Amino acid sequence: SSKTGLEETKSLFPLTNLASLELSGCDLERIPSAVFSLNNLQELDLKENKLCTVEEILSLQHCRRLVTLRLWHNKITYIPDHITKLHTLETLDISFNKLKKLPSRLFYLNILPESLPEELFSCKRIKTLVLSNNRLSYLSPKVGNLAQLVRLDIKGNQLDSLPLEIGECPLLRCTGLIVEGSLFDLLPSDLQKKLSQG
């Protein structure tokens, strides 16, 4: 019988050299285990599948070069805390899901050794965070820890306000903040001005 599926293709050619993998519209209910052995993988795109939970995200730490993870257009209801183990991540796209809250430790990605007090944790690498079109009603003030953040897409959620701490992201400007105008208008005028500066 003919072999099909990602597991079997490993014998056909050296998939371990793969840098970018897109598995969109494959009716996946979980992240295929074969992905975790792709040591050189830099980008993983799982758009338009049937993912409800991504507990196995912990195994992605074996992909030591992973910088971009796109889980958009699925049915994910929560992101497990152990996403913080993905220390190389720079872009996380979890838009168009069913998220109601995010793990607060998401904002401590790329942390210092975990025995230190939480206050010292700061994200070193997240540059792009796409959270649009979910059911989030709250954005943690700890977003201010993301020192490299240049793009935050939070549009299409159920937020009443934005945390003032977004002003603490030194690289974030209006052009990179994608949010409803009504929410932006609720920010203090001095913060609006700061974000609008070129």
Side-chain angles (χ1 to χ4, degrees):
S1 61
S2 62
K3 290 184 175 182
T4 56
L6 194 59
E7 288 284 359
E8 289 76 10
T9 56
K10 281 199 294 189
S11 61
L12 301 180
F13 58 95
L15 266 183
T16 48
N17 294 327
L18 211 59
S20 181
L21 177 62
E22 179 182 338
L23 297 170
S24 60
C26 298
D27 289 341
L28 296 173
E29 294 181 5
R30 58 182 58 244
I31 301 172
S33 57
V35 168
F36 308 138
S37 61
L38 303 178
N39 300 332
N40 291 299
L41 197 64
Q42 295 171 32
E43 179 175 11
L44 177 60
D45 188 340
L46 297 173
K47 181 183 182 183
E48 290 175 352
N49 281 291
K50 294 181 177 177
L51 301 174
C52 293
T53 173
V54 283
E55 276 293 330
E56 63 275 14
I57 213 169
L58 181 61
S59 297
L60 283 174
Q61 65 184 327
H62 299 304
C63 305
R64 299 182 184 277
R65 298 185 179 183
L66 191 69
V67 293
T68 300
L69 178 59
R70 300 190 189 279
L71 299 169
W72 50 334
H73 296 272
N74 278 283
K75 298 176 180 178
I76 300 167
T77 54
Y78 73 97
I79 300 291
D81 281 349
H82 49 239
I83 192 172
T84 54
K85 303 289 186 186
L86 306 185
H87 297 310
T88 55
L89 212 56
E90 294 180 7
T91 296
L92 175 64
D93 190 339
I94 42 181
S95 59
F96 294 93
N97 276 287
K98 296 185 176 181
L99 297 166
K100 291 187 177 178
K101 64 175 186 172
L102 295 171
S104 61
R105 295 190 64 199
L106 175 64
F107 303 106
Y108 297 132
L109 275 168
N110 307 292
I111 50 180
L112 301 163
E114 288 186 18
S115 58
L116 292 174
E118 267 200 345
E119 290 77 14
L120 292 176
F121 295 165
S122 60
C123 179
K124 303 291 187 206
R125 296 198 184 189
I126 282 277
K127 298 173 183 174
T128 302
L129 191 54
V130 184
L131 308 168
S132 59
N133 297 283
N134 280 288
R135 299 175 184 178
L136 301 172
S137 57
Y138 172 75
L139 180 62
S140 170
K142 291 167 186 164
V143 69
N145 291 347
L146 305 186
Q148 299 291 323
L149 195 67
V150 293
R151 182 164 184 257
L152 173 64
D153 186 346
I154 192 87
K155 200 169 184 177
N157 282 285
Q158 298 170 0
L159 301 173
D160 294 323
S161 62
L162 293 171
L164 302 183
E165 286 79 3
I166 61 171
E168 296 171 13
C169 301
L171 306 178
L172 188 63
R173 295 292 176 266
C174 270
T175 50
L177 177 62
I178 295 94
V179 68
E180 284 79 6
S182 56
L183 282 174
F184 185 81
D185 291 343
L186 289 173
L187 293 171
S189 56
D190 58 334
L191 180 49
Q192 290 184 33
K193 188 175 180 181
K194 179 183 177 183
L195 290 166
S196 300
Q197 290 171 348

